[in-house]
Amino acid sequence: MRSKARILESILKHPTTSTFIRSKTTSAQYVASRFRDPTFEKLMDKYKNYIKVISVQDLILANRNSPPSVSLEFLSRLSQKLHLNRGATAFLRKYPHIFHIFYDPVKSQPFCKLTETAVEISRQEAEAINACLSLVVERLVRLLSMSTSKSLPLRAVFKVWRELGLPDDFEDSVIARNLKIFRLCAGNEPNTHVLKLFDGMSKRDFTAAVDNWRVTECCKEDCKVERMELRYGFKQGFPSGMRLGKDFKGRVKEWQRLPYVGPYEEMGESKKTKAGVKRLEKRAVAIVHEFLSLTVEKMVEVEKISHFRKWFGIDFNIRDLFLDHPGIFYLSTKGKRHTVFLREAYERGQLIEPNPVYDVRRKLLDLVFLGRHGSVTGGSKSGEVSTRGDSQSEDENNE
């Protein structure tokens, strides 16, 4: 298990605010003026409580006592940082299928542990991750291959370890066991490390996710996308209700036809002309598109992906990049955080092509949806939970 300090560092960060000015509109105003997609907003309305549950669960599992548990006093001190608006105890009692509060007579104070169902889900997730370690290694190699220096700060990778489906101990189970692929070097700052690829590994020929889509689309008998647009374009999908003006459609079509350098190709120097800036922007879109494609749930917090910006050679405001391309990405601000989704990966609030780790995580999400419904005194011991947990209590929506 990861240390408490590392977990705390991961979950207690506040979203950063940007002072980037976009013409005469600030980034905050640009975010506020975006079109809201009801499907993604409904999903994030549920996810915001799920994220809090994960934060508390990680703190519990980080303890080595048997069974793993944390005192309510400890959680209460962190309630503001964890955004438990009504206090730790009230939050824990909202999810009796996940958390069980008990009194420790030896320490003379109440503690919280996971229910048997939640422990089993955690075990299943670890098994699903360990069963696909080869995919985990490839994800890391691909991530490093997109970097201009074929290297990334280890602390940035730590921020997205869950999104990439990495094991808790990936330093030992992935990096240390693949020394012919990865190497850790001292960073420029004290107590920092940089993860690098060996030279031979950086020359691997990877195919980006968008290229796989282009091949599939090209092979369709009813393909209606123009050849030039398909060669350089991305899958676009706009929600019903979003008004698309003639000028906007024209700009999208022009942008789709614009040539660019792919995320795994060497960029080289680009002239600071208007056309050169457009190509750089399209390459940046290609990189973040590929980044999201590598994640388990095809979503990530904007603050987390921003830590990779300079390493990927992206000289643009990441958040505005997502807003500029609403047919490819969707940005949500639910839960006091900015989260970006890869639009093409979702349909009706679920992944179109789920994976084993996502499937297990959905079980915990279903328990969050379930709230207090069907609970028994002392916590749930049921191993079967409906996959359609749409009944969410009113106080959860107000959290």
Side-chain angles (χ1 to χ4, degrees), residues 17-273:
T17 55
S18 175
T19 57
F20 178 86
I21 303 299
R22 180 183 178 78
S23 299
K24 296 182 180 180
T25 306
T26 65
S27 283
Q29 291 172 326
Y30 193 29
V31 170
S33 66
R34 79 194 189 286
F35 179 85
R36 265 72 161 183
D37 188 321
T39 302
F40 283 108
E41 289 300 297
K42 182 179 178 181
L43 176 62
M44 271 308 299
D45 200 42
K46 297 172 180 178
Y47 250 94
K48 65 183 182 183
N49 287 320
Y50 170 77
I51 293 168
K52 297 175 187 178
V53 166
I54 288 294
S55 298
V56 177
Q57 176 187 268
D58 282 352
L59 288 172
I60 293 174
L61 292 176
N63 284 270
R64 295 187 177 182
N65 48 322
S66 183
S69 60
V70 293
S71 69
L72 263 60
E73 180 186 6
F74 174 70
L75 288 177
S76 295
R77 291 201 304 268
L78 294 176
S79 60
Q80 186 176 358
K81 295 290 187 180
L82 295 171
H83 303 296
L84 309 183
N85 302 334
R86 300 185 180 184
T89 303
F91 179 80
L92 297 172
R93 285 176 176 166
K94 284 165 55 176
Y95 305 106
H97 295 281
I98 303 172
F99 303 114
H100 174 53
I101 299 174
F102 66 97
Y103 185 80
D104 188 332
V106 176
K107 297 182 179 180
S108 301
Q109 60 176 317
F111 278 72
C112 174
K113 65 179 181 179
L114 297 177
T115 62
E116 292 179 11
T117 303
V119 170
E120 176 61 18
I121 291 174
S122 179
R123 186 192 65 79
Q124 290 178 10
E125 181 179 349
E127 283 188 352
I129 290 172
N130 289 328
C132 57
L133 283 181
S134 59
L135 290 177
V136 169
V137 171
E138 183 177 326
R139 285 186 199 131
L140 270 182
V141 172
R142 282 176 173 265
L143 204 64
L144 289 160
S145 297
M146 288 193 290
S147 167
T148 55
S149 61
K150 311 307 176 189
S151 61
L152 292 169
L154 190 61
R155 62 186 176 188
V157 179
F158 268 120
K159 289 183 178 295
V160 292
W161 72 276
R162 184 181 294 278
E163 286 81 354
L164 293 174
L166 300 177
D168 295 3
D169 61 343
F170 75 88
E171 279 184 278
D172 299 321
S173 59
V174 177
I175 297 175
R177 294 184 183 179
N178 293 277
L179 296 178
K180 293 183 179 180
I181 302 175
F182 309 110
R183 60 191 177 103
L184 277 176
C185 305
N188 294 328
E189 300 176 13
N191 301 319
T192 61
H193 292 85
V194 174
L195 182 63
K196 293 186 176 183
L197 278 179
F198 274 103
D199 293 338
M201 297 302 301
S202 62
K203 297 178 181 179
R204 293 179 63 178
D205 187 20
F206 286 118
T207 301
V210 66
D211 290 320
N212 291 328
W213 168 77
R214 289 169 186 154
V215 171
T216 303
E217 194 69 19
C218 185
C219 294
K220 289 183 179 179
E221 293 183 3
D222 59 344
C223 179
K224 298 178 182 180
V225 185
E226 295 180 9
R227 184 174 180 179
M228 183 60 70
E229 189 175 339
L230 185 61
R231 182 178 179 183
Y232 297 115
F234 289 75
K235 186 174 183 178
Q236 301 277 348
F238 300 95
S240 57
M242 183 176 181
R243 295 183 179 180
L244 305 177
K246 187 175 180 180
D247 290 343
F248 177 81
K249 290 180 179 178
R251 289 196 300 270
V252 170
K253 192 169 186 177
E254 179 184 355
W255 185 86
Q256 288 279 74
R257 295 177 175 181
L258 187 69
Y260 72 103
V261 177
Y264 297 114
E265 300 174 51
E266 295 294 336
M267 181 62 197
E269 293 187 9
S270 181
K271 296 181 180 179
K272 298 297 181 180
T273 61

Side-chain angles (χ1 to χ4, degrees), residues 3 118 216 280 357:
S3 66
T216 303
L280 284 173
V357 178

Side-chain angles (χ1 to χ4, degrees), residues 250-380:
R251 289 196 300 270
V252 170
K253 192 169 186 177
E254 179 184 355
W255 185 86
Q256 288 279 74
R257 295 177 175 181
L258 187 69
Y260 72 103
V261 177
Y264 297 114
E265 300 174 51
E266 295 294 336
M267 181 62 197
E269 293 187 9
S270 181
K271 296 181 180 179
K272 298 297 181 180
T273 61
K274 186 175 181 180
V277 171
K278 285 185 176 181
R279 282 194 291 270
L280 284 173
E281 180 196 354
K282 193 161 187 178
R283 174 180 167 83
V285 169
I287 289 174
V288 293
H289 180 283
E290 185 68 5
F291 188 106
L292 285 166
S293 298
L294 294 176
T295 63
V296 171
E297 298 169 87
K298 316 307 176 193
M299 58 181 281
V300 70
E301 284 182 51
V302 175
E303 184 268 337
K304 291 182 178 180
I305 197 172
S306 294
H307 288 276
F308 295 87
R309 189 171 67 90
K310 76 169 187 177
W311 296 83
F312 289 153
I314 298 176
D315 195 21
F316 297 91
N317 182 294
I318 289 284
R319 183 171 49 187
D320 289 349
L321 199 66
F322 296 137
L323 292 170
D324 285 342
H325 300 277
I328 304 173
F329 311 109
Y330 182 72
L331 182 71
S332 172
T333 61
K334 288 279 186 178
K336 298 181 180 179
R337 66 188 72 224
H338 290 182
T339 305
V340 63
F341 293 84
L342 185 59
R343 187 181 286 279
E344 67 194 58
Y346 279 82
E347 185 175 18
R348 297 180 181 179
Q350 295 193 34
L351 280 187
I352 297 173
E353 298 180 1
N355 54 75
V357 178
Y358 170 83
D359 286 337
V360 176
R361 289 179 181 176
R362 281 290 305 193
K363 293 181 181 180
L364 185 63
L365 182 60
D366 290 337
L367 293 182
V368 175
F369 291 172
L370 202 59
R372 294 192 184 98
H373 294 274
S375 64
V376 293
T377 304
S380 171

